[in-house]
Amino acid sequence: MRQMWRRNGLALVTLGLFLAFLLVQSVTGNREYNEDQREHGEETVGYLEYLGTGHFKESVFENWESEFLQMGGFVLLTIFLRQRGSPESKKVTGKEDVDSEPDPDRPGAPAPVRRGGLALALYRNSLSIVLLLLFAVSFVLHAVGGAEEYGEEQAAHGQPRPSVLEYMTTSRFWFESMQNWQSEFLAVGSLVVLSIVLRQQGSPESKPVDHPRYETGSE
């Protein structure tokens, strides 16, 4: 157990925090949803029933969508773009290890590298592909959940429920998306710029404390 914790502590803690925050979100969301239901003379729902509502699905996937967009976009942007002095960037000039061609003869090389062809083509871009696929799935699920929630509001006012595609043409859907997209890129941009002059000893997201301001990279 001690070895597993030492090797996987970062993943275990972040997963634990994710589950804890998701639980709190669902409990408080259920309460908020029921308060709104009572205000409009509608029936309240139990916790498990609430997890199937558009209110919960929309709130969850709206945020997942922006997170995966940020991560996938940042992975791709760092291939081509540089920021002098930031540990989040490759060096301004020259190539680095991540730019080198995969060597199938390297000891311990993953199977797709040894196999080559299509397997290698997919594997060498697999991080950005999966992140952007997760963004696409979350984007669709946000639209589905949002359409359900918006449809309930429309029905309460005697208006027809929109389809998912109709909901995606509303300003509400894009307002929900953009309020998260802009904040995600503000956060990652802040990390890129602030890490030029600020330090956090012990963090791989920071340069060593005694390294010069305009030295790009963490080593």
Side-chain angles (χ1 to χ4, degrees):
M1 288 295 294
R2 186 174 298 176
Q3 282 288 353
M4 184 182 74
W5 174 257
R6 184 176 182 83
R7 294 173 179 174
N8 304 289
L10 184 58
L12 291 172
V13 169
T14 53
L15 177 61
L17 289 170
F18 159 70
L19 293 174
F21 292 144
L22 183 62
L23 176 62
V24 174
Q25 177 190 351
S26 63
V27 171
T28 55
N30 185 205
R31 293 178 181 176
E32 192 272 338
Y33 180 80
N34 283 335
E35 287 175 6
D36 188 65
Q37 290 291 94
R38 283 190 287 269
E39 288 178 5
H40 292 86
E42 302 288 339
E43 291 185 4
T44 59
V45 300
Y47 176 73
L48 293 179
E49 187 178 355
Y50 170 69
L51 298 181
T53 64
H55 184 274
F56 178 70
K57 288 185 282 188
E58 183 274 329
S59 66
V60 170
F61 293 114
E62 171 189 338
N63 287 282
W64 289 15
E65 160 198 316
S66 60
E67 297 292 344
F68 289 125
L69 174 64
Q70 177 224 88
M71 290 187 290
F74 190 58
V75 166
L76 291 174
L77 290 174
T78 53
I79 297 172
F80 309 104
L81 303 179
R82 306 288 189 272
Q83 177 56 57
R84 183 187 179 200
S86 176
E88 302 299 319
S89 169
K90 293 189 291 186
K91 296 176 183 178
V92 177
T93 59
K95 291 189 176 183
E96 301 193 8
D97 289 344
V98 292
D99 298 311
S100 62
E101 285 298 312
D103 180 6
D105 297 321
R106 183 184 182 89
V113 177
R114 299 195 305 271
R115 190 173 300 123
L118 179 60
L120 174 57
L122 292 174
Y123 185 70
R124 71 195 302 167
N125 298 292
S126 56
L127 179 58
S128 58
I129 290 172
V130 170
L131 287 172
L132 294 177
L133 281 175
L134 289 169
F135 159 71
V137 171
S138 300
F139 184 81
V140 171
L141 292 175
H142 165 208
V144 171
E148 292 177 13
E149 173 68 6
Y150 186 59
E152 288 185 14
E153 296 175 8
Q154 291 293 90
H157 293 87
Q159 300 295 322
R161 293 174 179 266
S163 67
V164 173
L165 290 178
E166 288 172 337
Y167 176 66
M168 292 177 70
T169 65
T170 65
S171 57
R172 170 169 165 165
F173 173 74
W174 290 104
F175 172 72
E176 291 169 348
S177 291
M178 294 304 143
Q179 66 180 334
N180 286 287
W181 293 13
Q182 55 87 12
S183 65
E184 296 301 336
F185 282 97
L186 172 64
V188 74
S190 297
L191 178 62
V192 168
V193 174
L194 291 175
S195 61
I196 297 173
V197 296
L198 304 180
R199 305 288 187 271
Q200 180 56 59
Q201 187 169 352
S203 174
E205 300 304 315
S206 167
K207 291 182 293 189
V209 177
D210 59 351
H211 280 216
R213 175 176 299 180
Y214 286 112
E215 180 178 282
T216 306
S218 58
E219 297 181 352

